[in-house]
Structures are given as C-alpha cells and as structure tokens.
C-alpha cells in the first residue's frame, strides 16, 4: 500500500502562499501534498490621507502598498520600505522607493542615517510590531502612522484539520507571530507536525506546545524560509 505524501500546509493568504511555493524546486513539490488554509484575511480600509506638507511615506508590507494604492490618489513622494518585495511593488506602483532593511530593527537606524525630510507617515496594518513611528519621532524624525488595512484571523479549513489528525507528516511554514498564535489556537495536537518559523518571535508565539517540532530560519526572509522548508521536506522523506 502506497504511503500518503507528506503535507505542506500553507497558512498565508493564497496569493503569497503560491508565490512562496513557486520558489521551491519542483522535485520537492512533487513529493508533498500542498494544502492551503489561510489564517489571515486582509481587508483594505477606505481612508483619507492628510497630505499637508507630507515629505515621505513608510511601507512595511506589500499590503500597505496595495491598500494605499486602492484607497488614495496620494501624490507621489519618496517611499521608504521594509523588505525587497515591498520596495519592488512600491516602485512598480510609481513610487520612488528605497529599500532600508528586512525588518523594523534594520529599517529604523538606516532611515535615521539617511536623514530624510519630514514629516513622514507610516501606512500600516491594524496589528504591527516595531513601533516605527514612535521610535523615529523620538530620534527627531517626525512620523505619524495610519492604519489602512485590517488583518482578520481565520480558522483552519476542514482539509487542514483532517490532515492534522491523519497521522501524516505535516510541514507548516509560519511567517508572523500573530499567525503562529492563531495556528496554536486552531491546531489539533499532532505529533507528526513540523513547523518552519520565520524567527524566534514567531516560534515563541506558538506558546508551550511541546509536541511541536519547531525549526527557525537562520535569517528572517523568504529565501531562508524556502531553504528551510526544502531541508524539512528532504528529512521527512528520508
């Protein structure tokens, strides 16, 4: 009898989940069954932006770029970005965008060194980490923030829950602390579950689930996560 394939359980919104798995080698993808079960839904808000004397904007996610593009005809000013994908999307949308780090910890000192004209505004989601506007303002760069999209948690799908109780090996990449918290809340206990966490903060957000086999990416970016997932697929099949 043929053993069922290990499951690659993707909990990101489908669009970015597909983007991630397309970076994996085909030889690995053919060895797993991919299940999509987004734990987060992004909903853009209709917002009014105060453009008076605005000298620059801060984007810390692609959702921020998409949300402001969908809800405002904001005249183009410099965009300072976290993440290369965010920077690229901002540029495609007409912004003069500058990449200044992979996360808030890198971004804040790099922007301070750049000494941009102010005031700035940070367009962000309802939930965020890093307190970018507060830190920049405290360092002399006047920065406000505006919530332009909501991150609504979702339940695991029936397919995902069935997989978790099937005894089949499961690999789940988790990219944010909030998603990790929701996964821990939703997940049926599984001794065959292996988690690839983007960072220590993501792993910590899982709480005290001792039956989780957690691996943390060496660097908190998609490339490092991709390599980790490939390694986990290989070790699961061996």
């Amino acid at each position: 009898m043929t053993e069922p394939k290990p499951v690659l359980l993707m909990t990101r919104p489908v669009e970015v989940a597909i983007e991630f798995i397309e970076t994996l080698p085909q030889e690995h993808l053919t060895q797993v069954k991919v299940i999509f079960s987004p734990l987060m839904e992004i909903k853009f808000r209709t917002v009014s932006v105060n453009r008076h004397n605005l000298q620059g904007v801060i984007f810390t996610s692609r959702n921020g770029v998409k949300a402001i593009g969908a809800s405002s005809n904001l005249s183009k000013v410099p965009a300072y970005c976290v993440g290369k994908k965010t920077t690229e999307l901002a540029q495609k949308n007409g912004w003069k965008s500058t990449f200044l780090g992979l996360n808030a910890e890198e971004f804040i000192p790099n922007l301070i060194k750049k000494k941009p004209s102010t005031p700035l505004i940070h367009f962000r989601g309802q939930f965020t980490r890093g307190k970018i506007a507060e830190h920049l303002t405290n360092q002399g760069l006047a920065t406000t923030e505006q919530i332009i999209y909501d991150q609504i948690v979702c339940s695991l799908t029936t397919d995902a829950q069935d997989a978790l109780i099937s005894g089949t090996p499961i690999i789940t990449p988790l990219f944010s602390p909030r998603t990790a918290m929701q996964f821990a809340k939703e997940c049926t206990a599984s001794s065959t579950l292996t988690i690839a966490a983007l960072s220590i903060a993501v792993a910590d957000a899982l709480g005290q689930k001792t039956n989780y086999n957690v691996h943390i990416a060496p660097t908190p970016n998609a490339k490092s996560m991709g390599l980790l997932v490939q390694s986990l697929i290989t070790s699961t099949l061996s």
Side-chain angles (χ1 to χ4, degrees), residues 221-238:
N221 58 39
K223 181 178 180 180
S224 186
M225 280 287 278
L227 292 173
L228 175 57
V229 169
Q230 291 175 49
S231 172
L232 293 176
I233 291 173
T234 299
S235 62
T236 298
L237 293 168
S238 62

Side-chain angles (χ1 to χ4, degrees), residues 114-182:
K114 193 172 181 64
K115 298 180 179 178
S117 299
T118 57
L120 307 173
I121 186 169
H122 177 200
F123 291 122
R124 68 173 182 85
Q126 180 184 9
F127 298 95
T128 188
R129 301 174 70 247
K131 298 182 179 179
I132 286 176
E134 179 181 330
H135 284 298
L136 291 175
T137 299
N138 289 341
Q139 292 297 318
L141 296 180
T143 306
T144 58
E145 58 184 5
Q146 185 166 0
I147 298 173
I148 57 174
Y149 62 92
D150 295 305
Q151 302 127 301
I152 302 168
V153 293
C154 306
S155 298
L156 287 169
T157 64
T158 300
D159 285 347
Q161 289 284 15
D162 288 345
L164 286 165
I165 62 175
S166 68
T168 302
I170 297 173
I171 299 167
T172 302
L174 294 174
F175 289 81
S176 74
R178 192 156 182 257
T179 302
M181 289 176 63
Q182 179 67 3

